[in-house]
Amino acid sequence: MDDIRLARAYLSRVAEPPAVALAAFVDEVGPVRAAELVRAGDVPDAVRDETSARAGQDLVAEDLATAERVGMRLVIPEDEEWPAWPLLSLANAHGRGLRWAAPPLALWVRGAAKLDEAMQRSVAIVGARAATPYGEQTAAEFAYDLAGQSVTVVSGAAFGIDGAAHRGALATDGKTVAVLACGADVSYPAAHTTLLGRIARDGAIVSEYPPGTTPAKYRFLVRNRLIAALAVGTVVVEAGRRSGARNTASSAAALGKPVLAIPGPVSSPMSQGCHDLIRAGTATVATSVADILEAIGAIGDLAESDASPSRPTDGLGPQAIQLHDALHRRTPHSPEHLSHQSGVPLDRVRALLPELELTGLAAETEEGWVSATA
């Protein structure tokens, strides 16, 4: 296992994710042999294209020393902690020809949470950096309620919706996971250094980039596929028409994961992306935590729906309801009149009226029958 871990640590640095050719090569010859051949330059052309620029950068010892110093660990597919089931969606999508969906070679993790356990019941909450107060409040409230029901909240630790979601989960001492487009030891954005520290305390910070890797624009798009894959489902709170959140939602949909979007004001540019996802059928509408829980729940594990207000006539049969509707509150009527008004046969009217009286829905007066309900 030590040889495998060292090999994957080396391979995680020599190729920029998603390393499609290298991942396939590792699957073919194994990580230890793949690392040996990459170092020697004895690899297929496609693998050489991905690795030649960094093949000589053997920083495994330094990377593992840094990881130990900051409380970070390398999680590999051979570990029990590896989130195999969520990441299978990437392997399946890659098998269907989606090149961007190559699974990670390894994951650098900082934090107490075990990935396999944390991802069993999880929701990604993503959205705009330039979020509105409505969006941030909604993200925080939904994350708070979800985390309070033992759902892991996954996001990207960015400003706006991401940060609000993480904070909402932390406010109820829930579990949250941040997936970064840089090394798991790098605080980005710097203003979220304290937030990232809190996330690592009970949750986890995850990256497929080795320690010290700085963020880059293209790495955020690559990172988004991991957010989409790791979580059971994705909720978009606010998003512009062109945004990373929409990219994450599209990735989740391509992976066969549930995607939900929160509707917002029709005049808000920050909600246009959500409305587009709903209109295109990529996402379903989510207006409550119950909607989200039902979407991510296992078969038969449906969330409780909001109970409809009860009515006095609930439980009545069709003829009893017809007869009750024919009764007046103030004007008494004979059974014959009620039969004519309701269309219920006279003998049934005479049988049903005492039943309605017993349930408090009708009352008999000297002049006839009246309704006893408001």
Side-chain angles (χ1 to χ4, degrees), residues 113-316:
K114 300 298 183 183
L115 289 187
D116 58 333
E117 297 174 0
M119 294 303 122
Q120 286 180 3
R121 199 162 183 256
S122 56
V123 171
I125 297 181
V126 297
R129 286 176 172 82
T132 67
Y134 158 80
E136 292 193 0
Q137 180 179 349
T138 300
E141 290 179 352
F142 277 33
Y144 180 92
D145 290 341
L146 287 165
Q149 298 186 56
S150 301
V151 176
T152 300
V153 175
V154 183
S155 199
F159 290 123
I161 298 301
D162 290 15
H166 290 306
R167 291 188 183 92
L170 292 169
T172 188
D173 294 326
K175 193 170 293 182
T176 183
V177 170
V179 184
L180 304 187
C182 55
D185 61 325
V186 177
S187 293
Y188 183 85
H192 279 178
T193 299
T194 301
L195 175 62
L196 288 166
R198 293 178 61 201
I199 292 170
R201 184 187 61 196
D202 298 314
I205 299 170
V206 179
S207 176
E208 61 185 319
Y209 298 100
T213 303
T214 57
K217 186 175 182 179
Y218 61 89
R219 287 177 179 151
F220 286 97
L221 295 178
V222 173
R223 180 275 311 267
N224 289 346
R225 87 190 196 289
L226 281 185
I227 294 178
L230 287 170
V232 176
T234 295
V235 179
V236 185
V237 179
E238 283 187 323
R241 284 209 156 100
R242 293 178 58 85
S243 64
R246 284 200 65 178
N247 174 259
T248 303
S250 299
S251 297
L255 297 177
K257 306 264 186 163
V259 179
L260 301 98
I262 309 296
V266 295
S267 59
S268 173
M270 286 298 98
S271 289
Q272 291 307 305
C274 293
H275 299 159
D276 288 349
L277 288 168
I278 295 168
R279 185 168 56 250
T282 304
T284 56
V285 175
T287 59
S288 67
V289 168
D291 294 339
I292 300 170
L293 290 173
E294 185 163 322
I296 70 162
I299 295 175
D301 183 24
L302 300 182
E304 293 183 5
S305 58
D306 294 335
S308 300
S310 61
R311 297 178 180 178
T313 54
D314 287 349
L316 295 181

Side-chain angles (χ1 to χ4, degrees), residues 275-355:
H275 299 159
D276 288 349
L277 288 168
I278 295 168
R279 185 168 56 250
T282 304
T284 56
V285 175
T287 59
S288 67
V289 168
D291 294 339
I292 300 170
L293 290 173
E294 185 163 322
I296 70 162
I299 295 175
D301 183 24
L302 300 182
E304 293 183 5
S305 58
D306 294 335
S308 300
S310 61
R311 297 178 180 178
T313 54
D314 287 349
L316 295 181
Q319 288 186 329
I321 291 176
Q322 289 174 239
L323 176 58
H324 181 266
D325 287 347
L327 291 167
H328 285 227
R329 178 70 176 168
R330 295 184 178 85
T331 305
H333 289 297
S334 67
E336 291 78 10
H337 178 87
L338 294 170
S339 174
H340 177 76
Q341 287 294 108
S342 65
V344 178
L346 181 59
D347 59 337
R348 285 294 296 150
V349 168
R350 287 175 171 154
L352 287 170
L353 284 170
E355 293 182 17

Side-chain angles (χ1 to χ4, degrees), residues 9-16 22 38 50-58:
Y10 167 73
L11 294 171
S12 75
R13 182 172 283 280
V14 299
E16 187 72 28
L22 179 58
V38 168
E50 292 180 351
T51 61
S52 61
R54 301 177 186 166
Q57 297 181 8
D58 193 342

